[in-house]
Amino acid sequence: MAQVITSVDHLTFSAHNLPALPAPKQVLMVEPTFFSVDYAINPHMADNIGNVDKTAARNQWQQVLGVFRQLGFSVHRLEGQKGLPDMVFCANQSLPYINPAGRKQVVMSIMHSDMRKEEVPYIEQWYRQQGYEIRYLDREKVRAFEGCGDAIWHSGRRLLWGGYGYRTSREAYKTVSGMLDVPVMALRLADEHFYHLDTCFCVLNETTVLIYPQAFTESGLKLIHAVFDHVIEASEDEAKERFACNASCPDGKNVIIQQGCREVNSKLREAGFTIHEVETSEYLKSGGSVFCMKQLLW
Ligand code: ARG
């Protein structure tokens, strides 16, 4: 099923006919010991250099971890590394997968910024210890790929959504699609405040997605609407200031989301989801929230 789809005209299948993907059961989180904002590689960081409250960051991280546990996920905790303040955002260094034969695989990222490149081997080593088959992108062909920051699994189906333009280069998806033998729906990102797909696109269940529409192009929006029956929209304020779309719905029912996304939460409740609000204000200073503070695993 390897193919990269960029427009509805090339959509030849319907998502619910694709092979099933099991639900993830585990979570990886990287300890926030060395988390801080030391440089600015996205617009959210610019005014926040040196401005992280470490104690609050630790408590907020612990709270996010607690909700995943409460929902029945087993959480792996990996040490952070001195000098790698963004390593805590462990959605970004890899794209894990379980193939149809039940083999756990992972594609390692090629980080866009030099500041984050050294994070990848630490994460890779952890996957190695867990017995994953490690896959690498060809650096001659792919300039940058930031894992699940930009590559997001459709809920329950072997279908990948791939954002590109800021942190991941478009050509990455040809390789990723071929490597994992899955179709990729490629979406160009159109606003630098929404530099990763996970800042503006949150798959809630097989038929429902939460998006910030202005972060996409017209043809991207058409693709999203062609696949999802229900598209819930976040306002600019909740998407940009509270990272509403960087929520995580790890089981198709429970949504873990930054506190205070009132409009989004009422839409989500109306659609039948259960909301778990968490405070991630220290991580918002770095341009991240719940979704990128963890990696879901099978
Ligand atoms: N400061 C980090 C960066 O700019 C934040 C990453 C947040 N991750 C995410 N998937 N949105 O790389």
Side-chain angles (χ1 to χ4, degrees):
M1 266 312 261
Q3 55 183 303
V4 179
I5 294 151
T6 51
S7 127
V8 274
D9 307 331
H10 303 132
L11 197 55
T12 54
F13 56 82
S14 132
H16 61 258
N17 290 331
L18 291 173
L21 178 68
K25 290 278 175 277
Q26 313 186 47
V27 173
L28 171 67
M29 290 183 71
V30 170
E31 303 271 349
T33 321
F34 302 104
F35 167 61
S36 65
V37 179
D38 292 353
Y39 47 75
I41 53 172
N42 70 54
H44 307 271
M45 300 172 91
D47 293 334
N48 286 311
I49 295 185
N51 201 15
V52 168
D53 176 336
K54 296 255 183 192
T55 309
R58 164 65 65 179
N59 292 338
Q60 293 176 0
W61 184 87
Q62 201 66 50
Q63 195 195 358
V64 172
L65 184 151
V67 180
F68 278 103
R69 281 222 175 112
Q70 189 194 320
L71 296 177
F73 288 82
S74 71
V75 183
H76 302 267
R77 302 164 64 138
L78 177 64
E79 286 298 328
Q81 292 294 325
K82 194 159 190 241
L84 298 176
D86 275 334
M87 189 173 158
V88 70
F89 297 110
C90 64
N92 303 162
Q93 305 89 348
S94 68
L95 167 65
Y97 180 55
I98 187 161
N99 78 6
R103 179 105 177 87
K104 293 181 186 182
Q105 301 176 321
V106 62
V107 180
M108 298 316 300
S109 299
I110 299 174
M111 303 306 284
H112 181 265
S113 148
D114 285 344
M115 306 293 192
R116 298 198 61 186
K117 288 194 197 297
E118 283 173 38
E119 299 170 17
V120 182
Y122 291 104
I123 303 282
E124 179 182 330
Q125 192 187 2
W126 182 83
Y127 280 114
R128 198 173 295 284
Q129 286 159 359
Q130 305 293 313
Y132 274 72
E133 181 183 325
I134 317 257
R135 316 289 300 265
Y136 303 97
L137 297 169
D138 180 349
R139 286 167 192 273
E140 304 272 297
K141 291 195 187 128
V142 176
R143 262 174 306 145
F145 172 69
E146 292 207 350
C148 295
D150 275 319
I152 299 178
W153 289 109
H154 195 88
S155 180
R157 296 287 156 196
R158 294 184 187 278
L159 171 66
L160 196 63
W161 292 86
Y164 66 90
Y166 295 103
R167 298 299 189 83
T168 293
S169 35
R170 179 176 166 164
E171 76 278 355
Y173 293 115
K174 195 166 187 293
T175 311
V176 170
S177 171
M179 247 177 197
L180 304 181
D181 193 27
V182 295
V184 178
M185 309 287 258
L187 302 170
R188 178 188 290 282
L189 300 176
D191 177 339
E192 63 167 349
H193 288 93
F194 301 92
Y195 58 95
H196 270 149
L197 183 61
D198 73 4
T199 63
C200 50
F201 178 93
C202 180
V203 177
L204 298 171
N205 64 28
E206 206 179 316
T207 55
T208 316
V209 68
L210 166 65
I211 64 165
Y212 175 61
Q214 285 77 9
F216 296 97
T217 63
E218 211 171 299
S219 66
L221 283 174
K222 279 193 191 150
L223 265 181
I224 294 170
H225 281 273
V227 173
F228 290 97
D229 298 335
H230 311 289
V231 178
I232 299 175
E233 298 189 351
S235 67
E236 178 177 1
D237 179 55
E238 292 188 357
K240 204 187 267 184
E241 306 307 326
R242 295 179 190 270
F243 269 51
C245 301
N246 199 251
S248 173
C249 183
D251 58 1
K253 298 181 199 81
N254 291 284
V255 181
I256 313 170
I257 189 168
Q258 162 60 32
Q259 225 154 56
C261 299
R262 288 181 44 219
E263 293 166 43
V264 160
N265 287 348
S266 86
K267 292 180 189 178
L268 295 179
R269 287 197 180 100
E270 208 171 302
F273 294 94
T274 303
I275 307 299
H276 304 264
E277 289 188 272
V278 287
E279 183 55 76
T280 62
S281 55
E282 296 308 314
Y283 299 90
L284 295 177
K285 293 174 181 172
S286 189
S289 184
V290 181
F291 189 92
C292 41
M293 292 167 70
K294 58 89 188 85
Q295 188 66 294
L296 286 174
L297 306 162
W298 286 273

